[in-house]
Amino acid sequence: MNDMTPVRPTTPKDWETDQEVRWCPGCGDYAILKAVQRTMPEIGAVPENTVFVSGIGCSSRFPYYMETYGFHTIHGRAPAVATGVKLANPELDVWIITGDGDALSIGGNHTMHLLRRNLNCQILLFNNEIYGLTKGQYSPTSREGTRSPSTPYGSVDHPVKPCAFALGAGARFVARGIDIHKNLGGVLKAAYHHQGAAFVEIYQNCIVYNDEVFEEFTAKTNAATQQLWLENGKPMLFAGGSKGIAIDHKTLTPIVVDVVDGDWEAAGVIVHDVTNRTVAHMLVELPFGEFPMALGVLYDDPKPTFEAAVVSQNESAAQGKIADLQKLVAKGQTWTVGDMAGEG
């Protein structure tokens, strides 16, 4: 038996490039970059086995700042390129970096098919509810009434909910995080360890074109009462454990309940089960304001991956056959052009 080659330990510094990080001062992308660079050593990844693929947008500069392999592709097509990378070498760790416009507008079709196919990769969707790179037009996730250069009177579009989109496309892992929150690293780790397409929506502040759009739940003064951090097997509690999420059994709808003396069971608070798809749908649709923002891992229920099925199919098709490129080229309707010399 061959000895296993030990994984080379790394530090966050090993994941930093010599490139100048060029985002607007105060942009939430800086915090996400640092969170990823801190997380990579903790999950035992190595730079030479890691690929970051991005589309177009502010977030898509990400591959330049990670000391790994990387592709800065075209608008909305990162999922297609990432699929090619994973099929060519299934052993690679593939991360997709995208934004709300890149992934859900021009790239919506590609994102949908990657999720339903269940390619084994991590999709980090930076959601700032605006097009930042192209100077502040409204995006698919912008709220109704958003004023922008393209909607000076306010957007009348109904916004996309990224996690609802992911679940509808058949995603087997759906999570939410916040750019500057300490829990983001834990969400990234859970996504990495999921076998299949892991979809992570990250609320990211655009300080120039949509500053403080998430302040109602991201501000420190609001965090306790407006953030519901989910943990598998634990009750859905917030506000320091004084409130929780329960189900009204008459209407089969979620409700906020008070928890007295820590007795969450008596209050009927739900225990989070990451494999329960119905509850995941409920969590992504909770109307904010009436309910806190559901964060962390909402859904995690693996199934066989796309690339594993493709590799298995190819191996099965190749059994008992000898590779012969010339025979393959000559198969079907072919003809040979003879020597034309002397003919006239």
Side-chain angles (χ1 to χ4, degrees):
M1 178 183 291
N2 294 328
D3 292 333
M4 294 291 291
T5 302
V7 174
R8 173 175 61 84
T10 64
T11 67
K13 202 73 177 174
D14 293 319
W15 297 86
E16 299 177 9
T17 70
D18 60 359
Q19 299 297 299
E20 179 187 359
V21 182
R22 300 185 65 185
W23 287 308
C24 299
C27 174
D29 289 357
Y30 287 98
I32 301 172
L33 175 63
K34 286 300 182 183
V36 171
Q37 289 171 338
R38 287 194 302 266
T39 299
M40 301 308 275
E42 296 175 5
I43 59 179
V46 289
E48 59 268 26
N49 200 55
T50 305
V51 184
F52 279 83
V53 184
S54 66
I56 295 295
C58 295
S59 65
S60 294
R61 295 175 181 171
F62 210 91
Y64 296 107
Y65 309 140
M66 294 297 299
E67 190 60 53
T68 66
Y69 293 106
F71 291 89
H72 187 179
T73 70
I74 56 179
H75 210 186
R77 272 62 175 186
V81 174
T83 299
V85 170
K86 193 68 176 180
L87 290 179
N89 188 349
E91 299 305 312
L92 294 174
D93 292 335
V94 177
W95 296 73
I96 295 175
I97 305 296
T98 187
D100 43 305
D102 185 59
L104 299 174
S105 185
I106 191 169
N109 191 45
H110 293 276
T111 304
M112 176 184 72
H113 292 304
L114 180 138
L115 291 170
R116 72 171 180 82
R117 287 172 176 148
N118 199 35
L119 188 80
N120 190 17
C121 65
Q122 293 73 235
I123 307 111
L124 307 187
L125 187 151
F126 297 19
N127 183 12
N128 54 23
E129 295 189 1
I130 206 76
Y131 278 105
L133 185 66
T134 48
K135 310 304 183 235
Q137 298 92 335
Y138 82 111
S139 84
T141 59
S142 295
R143 302 172 197 190
E144 293 178 47
T146 297
R147 292 180 180 272
S148 76
S150 54
T151 54
Y153 300 109
S155 170
V156 296
D157 272 4
H158 303 300
V160 174
K161 294 181 180 179
C163 289
F165 170 87
L167 283 169
R172 309 296 299 189
F173 180 102
V174 175
R176 282 184 181 143
I178 299 171
D179 52 9
I180 61 172
H181 201 284
K182 64 181 181 179
N183 289 357
L184 180 58
V187 173
L188 297 175
K189 290 176 189 177
Y192 178 79
H193 290 300
H194 174 84
Q195 290 299 303
F199 182 90
V200 181
E201 177 188 10
I202 304 174
Y203 292 110
Q204 179 261 328
N205 190 51
C206 177
I207 196 168
V208 176
Y209 296 110
N210 214 16
D211 192 24
E212 298 185 352
V213 70
F214 303 120
E215 282 291 285
E216 290 178 295
F217 64 89
T218 60
K220 289 183 179 180
T221 53
N222 300 331
T225 57
Q226 301 302 323
Q227 294 179 14
L228 170 64
W229 282 96
L230 301 160
E231 189 174 347
N232 191 40
K234 298 294 181 65
M236 296 184 186
L237 297 171
F238 63 102
S242 65
K243 293 182 180 295
I245 305 298
I247 293 292
D248 183 327
H249 294 286
K250 291 183 179 179
T251 61
L252 296 180
T253 55
I255 54 173
V256 173
V257 295
D258 293 320
V259 177
V260 179
D261 297 328
D263 194 350
W264 57 267
E265 290 179 291
V269 175
I270 305 168
V271 174
H272 187 42
D273 176 4
V274 293
T275 66
N276 190 321
R277 193 175 186 86
T278 300
V279 171
H281 276 285
M282 177 196 77
L283 290 167
V284 302
E285 295 289 353
L286 288 178
F288 178 72
E290 180 184 353
F291 294 88
M293 182 61 66
L295 299 159
V297 179
L298 282 66
Y299 183 59
D300 184 359
D301 189 18
K303 73 173 185 178
T305 64
F306 177 67
E307 72 278 5
V310 171
V311 169
S312 176
Q313 184 182 66
N314 289 344
E315 289 175 348
S316 178
Q319 285 183 357
K321 297 179 181 178
I322 299 174
D324 188 336
L325 180 60
Q326 185 58 43
K327 183 178 179 181
L328 180 64
V329 171
K331 184 179 180 181
Q333 295 181 344
T334 62
W335 63 93
T336 302
V337 178
D339 184 2
M340 303 291 289
E343 297 182 15

